[in-house]
Amino acid sequence: MIRIFILCISFLILPFANAGDAQGGLLSNVHVMKNGALLVSSSGARTDVPGCVNYSTRFVIDGTTEAGRVQISGLLAMYMGGKTVNIIGTGACDAGYSSEEINYFHAVD
């Protein structure tokens, strides 16, 4: 029984095991691509960079979804406001551009 419990917990944790983040950074190099993707770099201290990433400071948001568009508007507001931002990635580069997708983010100040 305990083995089944541990196995179930490991499947819940596994998708987030390699998710990277950037803590306490300013946003820069904002690029809006013709397919709706937004690329952004962070000066924050980067940890747990997934193997699919070629640019360790850069993240991507898929703007073709409603959730992605909401994330883009929030991120652009923080960028224009000069906010310090913590970014937590998904651990995946499915949106392309050899950049980790953003899971969530929040302003530090």
Side-chain angles (χ1 to χ4, degrees), residues 3-80:
R3 289 181 187 171
I4 294 172
F5 176 75
I6 292 172
L7 183 63
C8 290
I9 295 297
S10 67
F11 281 121
L12 292 174
I13 295 172
L14 187 61
F16 302 104
N18 293 326
D21 63 13
Q23 298 295 315
L26 294 174
L27 304 175
S28 64
N29 299 321
V30 176
H31 298 276
V32 181
M33 310 309 280
K34 75 177 188 174
N35 67 352
L38 178 121
L39 304 172
V40 63
S41 294
S42 171
S43 65
R46 191 79 153 87
T47 59
D48 298 326
V49 180
C52 59
V53 170
N54 287 339
Y55 306 98
S56 63
T57 61
R58 191 168 74 185
F59 290 89
V60 63
I61 297 174
D62 178 2
T64 63
T65 67
E66 185 64 30
R69 289 189 288 276
V70 170
Q71 278 192 321
I72 286 173
S73 18
L75 199 69
L76 288 176
M78 290 182 192
Y79 171 69
M80 292 186 299

